[in-house]
């Protein structure tokens, strides 16, 4: 029997145990509710815009760096693998991964930090919270309700991974309990995917040499057998097999640790997962400091590289100046955003508008508003 055919564990999310949708809708019988959710995410404007949003490296510089879209697809793939290994619902893990960055603003982390600063006295900004806002409110493809009316388990997973909702009561779905296991898996899959692909893109961008990478023990361990077999090849020629080994190591660690935790606390149902008091999906205590070492290496050598700081600073100025210009003259907002101001507040509406922009749209809008000879 193939691995995908193995029976699911009793704590997996299933359509039978789903808490359903906020607005009742009629679907043909035997249609999997998570397949409907997946289709709604793929059809959303927010999903299509991920293609033109920066992950780490500005997308206009090279066509082969990760974008927010290809990052999302890699997270979905890692989530699916973890779900299969842990015998839980791979379709749900993948769906949460496809949804997790829908609210990410343009220009990557710099965009998020800038909006958070601009919104500090107006309810804050955090991209996980914004992803939930996209699926609950901002997308509006059906006249009967706002949002995508997604299943409870997807919205719950987004709410429970959001620092803005850490204080109880700030979102009804963030009640202090844990996310379903598929949501926890998507969260770890995000981390595994970006740790590996940011290394690959940084090597591709010429930011890292092999000597730099030898500071990271996870890299050195993964590279050793590959380098033994291919001593004379360039780093570019061997980075993929090394990263495959690194990724497999991280996946194996998460699977073993999750199995250990599930057995230790005798998890037997989805509510046991919710009420466990801590995530069941996590890196092992041995792996956590090694991952932290890799991530602080990425922070120092990649995210704080002078080429990236120059880009971040430019993005900060774009976004801040656009934001302030709309605050001064709200009449410049498109009518569908302008109409929401009474209900949502000016700053929130501006934040929603900018968070939804692609890098390209944001740059074009800046030119239209601030360059005197640009057409409006
Ligand atoms: Mg992500």
């Amino acid at each position: 029997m193939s691995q995908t055919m193995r029976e699911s564990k009793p704590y997996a999310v299933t359509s039978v145990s789903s808490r359903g949708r906020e607005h009742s809708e009629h679907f043909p019988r035997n249609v999997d509710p998570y397949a409907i959710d997946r289709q709604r995410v793929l059809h959303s404007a927010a999903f299509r815009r991920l293609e033109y949003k920066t992950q780490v490296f500005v997308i206009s510089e090279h066509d082969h760096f990760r974008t927010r879209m290809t990052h999302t697809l890699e997270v979905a793939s890692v989530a699916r693998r973890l779900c299969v290994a842990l015998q839980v619902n791979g379709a749900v893990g993948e769906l949460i991964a496809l949804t997790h960055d829908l609210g990410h603003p343009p220009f990557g982390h710099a965009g998020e930090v800038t909006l958070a600063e601009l919104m500090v006295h107006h309810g804050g900004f955090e991209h996980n919270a914004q992803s939930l806002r996209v699926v609950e409110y901002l997308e509006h493809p059906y006249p009967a309700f706002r949002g995508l009316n997604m299943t409870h388990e997807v919205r719950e997973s987004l709410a429970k991974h959001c620092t803005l909702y850490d204080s109880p009561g700030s979102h009804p779905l963030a009640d202090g309990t844990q996310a379903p296991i598929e949501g926890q898996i998507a969260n770890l899959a995000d981390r595994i995917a970006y740790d590996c692909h940011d290394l690959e893109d940084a090597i591709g961008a010429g930011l890292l040499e092999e000597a730099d990478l030898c500071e990271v023990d996870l890299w050195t361990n993964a590279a050793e057998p590959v380098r033994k077999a291919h001593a004379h090849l360039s780093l570019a020629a061997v980075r993929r097999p090394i990263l495959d080994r690194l990724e497999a190591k991280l996946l194996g660690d998460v699977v073993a640790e999750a199995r250990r935790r599930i057995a230790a606390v005798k998890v037997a149902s989805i509510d046991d997962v919710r009420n466990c008091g801590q995530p069941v999906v996590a890196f092992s205590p041995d792996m956590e400091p090694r991952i932290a070492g890799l991530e602080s290496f990425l922070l120092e050598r990649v995210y704080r590289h002078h080429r990236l700081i120059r880009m971040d600073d430019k993005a900060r100025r774009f976004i801040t100046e656009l934001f302030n210009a709309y605050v001064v003259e709200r009449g410049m907002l498109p009518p569908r955003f302008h109409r929401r101001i009474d209900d949502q507040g000016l700053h929130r509406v501006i934040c929603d508008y900018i968070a939804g922009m692609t890098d390209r749209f944001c740059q074009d809008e800046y030119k239209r508003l601030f360059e005197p000879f640009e057409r409006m």
Side-chain angles (χ1 to χ4, degrees):
M1 191 182 284
S2 78
Q3 205 179 21
T4 48
M5 296 291 286
R6 287 187 303 170
E7 208 178 312
S8 289
K9 296 290 188 185
Y11 39 82
V13 165
T14 64
S15 54
V16 177
S17 65
S18 173
R19 293 184 180 174
R21 301 175 193 275
E22 205 171 358
H23 309 278
S24 76
E25 293 185 80
H26 289 290
F27 299 109
R29 271 208 291 175
N30 301 328
V31 173
D32 178 21
Y34 303 110
I36 289 175
D37 281 0
R38 179 188 170 91
Q39 195 151 323
R40 287 183 177 182
V41 169
L42 297 184
H43 289 173
S44 69
F47 186 78
R48 291 193 296 277
R49 288 195 215 112
L50 295 176
E51 189 174 356
Y52 299 103
K53 290 186 175 191
T54 281
Q55 176 65 25
V56 170
F57 296 91
V58 174
I59 52 175
S60 49
E61 281 190 9
H62 286 287
D63 288 345
H64 52 260
F65 289 142
R66 268 71 180 184
T67 63
R68 196 56 61 180
M69 170 73 83
T70 62
H71 159 71
T72 295
L73 297 176
E74 289 185 41
V75 177
S77 165
V78 173
R80 168 74 75 164
R81 287 175 67 185
L82 285 171
C83 287
V84 168
L86 291 168
Q87 293 171 262
V88 295
N89 196 328
V92 172
E94 201 173 74
L95 167 63
I96 296 165
L98 292 172
T99 313
H100 88 283
D101 265 354
L102 289 183
H104 213 293
F107 299 108
H109 188 61
E112 176 167 27
V113 170
T114 307
L115 282 180
E117 284 165 6
L118 291 163
M119 290 298 288
V120 75
H121 300 302
H122 307 281
F125 179 83
E126 202 257 6
H127 82 270
N128 294 298
Q130 191 69 8
S131 297
L132 188 56
R133 189 165 164 78
V134 165
V135 303
E136 288 188 332
Y137 177 77
L138 291 170
E139 287 287 327
H140 188 22
Y142 301 105
F145 47 79
R146 286 205 67 102
L148 302 179
N149 197 28
M150 293 181 79
T151 45
H152 179 96
E153 293 71 28
V154 175
R155 295 187 303 119
E156 176 191 5
S157 295
L158 297 176
K160 288 176 177 175
H161 285 138
C162 170
T163 50
L164 261 192
Y165 299 145
D166 275 352
S167 54
S170 51
H171 190 285
L173 296 178
D175 57 2
T177 64
Q178 303 298 313
I181 192 165
E182 292 82 356
Q184 297 183 26
I185 283 173
N187 205 34
L188 257 269
D190 187 24
R191 213 167 146 198
I192 294 174
Y194 68 63
D195 283 341
C196 292
H197 69 47
D198 289 351
L199 280 176
E200 183 167 32
D201 279 353
I203 294 167
L207 266 49
L208 296 176
E209 303 289 335
E210 199 153 8
D212 303 322
L213 289 156
C214 288
E215 287 174 30
V216 181
D217 82 310
L218 279 169
W219 172 275
T220 313
N221 283 3
E224 199 184 348
V226 178
R227 268 301 178 209
K228 239 178 219 161
H230 307 286
H232 303 298
L233 292 180
S234 68
L235 176 60
V238 292
R239 68 184 163 175
R240 197 59 249 171
I242 294 171
L243 287 166
D244 285 349
R245 286 177 52 82
L246 173 57
E247 190 182 61
K249 173 108 183 152
L250 302 181
L251 288 170
D253 181 81
V254 169
V255 169
E257 177 66 12
R259 285 190 184 134
R260 194 190 64 74
R261 291 185 181 207
I262 287 164
V265 291
K266 300 189 174 60
V267 171
S269 71
I270 176 167
D271 280 333
D272 287 351
V273 175
R274 287 189 176 109
N275 297 320
C276 190
Q278 61 163 358
V280 291
V281 183
F283 291 115
S284 68
D286 285 347
M287 182 58 79
E288 195 53 65
R290 301 177 76 192
I291 282 280
L294 166 57
E295 289 174 348
S296 61
F297 173 84
L298 281 168
L299 183 66
E300 284 305 317
R301 299 301 185 87
V302 180
Y303 310 143
R304 288 192 188 142
H305 193 281
H306 74 274
R307 277 167 56 189
L308 270 79
I309 288 176
R310 286 160 61 96
M311 178 202 95
D312 285 359
D313 192 65
K314 192 163 149 184
R316 187 169 295 129
R317 269 179 284 125
F318 270 159
I319 290 174
T320 305
E321 288 179 37
L322 278 180
F323 193 101
N324 291 335
Y326 298 133
V327 171
V328 171
E329 183 43 88
R330 61 181 71 186
M332 293 196 297
L333 290 165
R336 72 180 193 285
F337 283 87
H338 199 261
R339 280 195 292 272
R340 288 184 214 152
I341 293 174
D342 286 346
D343 185 43
Q344 304 281 314
L346 177 63
H347 290 80
R348 180 58 60 196
V349 169
I350 293 170
C351 181
D352 285 339
Y353 185 42
I354 293 178
M357 291 179 183
T358 60
D359 292 17
R360 185 172 60 183
F361 185 91
C362 188
Q363 284 170 308
D364 287 350
E365 178 73 345
Y366 184 88
K367 275 203 278 186
R368 283 191 293 266
L369 293 191
F370 295 106
E371 290 188 8
F373 298 104
E374 196 73 20
R375 279 171 174 269
M376 298 302 284

